[in-house]
Amino acid sequence: MIKLLLFAGVLVGVYYVFFAKKKSLSGPKNDVSMDEAMIPCATCGTYVQAKDTLMSTGKYYCSSECMEKKQ
Ligand SMILES: [Zn+2]
């Protein structure tokens, strides 16, 4: 029984370290769920991952061509 408790404690410790590392990798300002969110291009409406979008004057674009068209 004590061995089981120790094993559970190790698992929790490993999980905590892994979680903390993952958080620090993405940076304090970046939310992981935000990176994975799909955002529509302001010009053509194509949904692209937030991390792949280009932002200009508060709007998101899928490519530099769309950003230049700006409707
Ligand atoms: Zn576009």
Side-chain angles (χ1 to χ4, degrees):
M1 192 59 191
I2 289 170
K3 270 187 183 177
L4 268 178
L5 284 173
L6 278 172
F7 184 66
V10 169
L11 276 182
V12 169
V14 168
Y15 178 79
Y16 182 78
V17 168
F18 180 73
F19 188 72
K21 259 192 177 179
K22 240 191 151 186
K23 256 200 153 181
S24 65
L25 273 177
S26 64
K29 280 183 181 176
N30 289 340
D31 188 356
V32 174
S33 61
M34 182 62 192
D35 282 347
E36 290 167 357
M38 300 297 281
I39 293 175
C41 170
T43 302
C44 68
T46 303
Y47 279 80
V48 280
Q49 286 204 327
K51 63 184 175 187
D52 294 329
T53 55
L54 300 165
M55 207 184 102
S56 175
T57 61
K59 288 182 175 177
Y60 293 95
Y61 302 90
C62 68
S63 62
S64 53
E65 290 97 69
C66 281
M67 194 165 72
E68 283 162 17
K69 280 181 192 171
K70 280 187 190 177
Q71 287 180 349

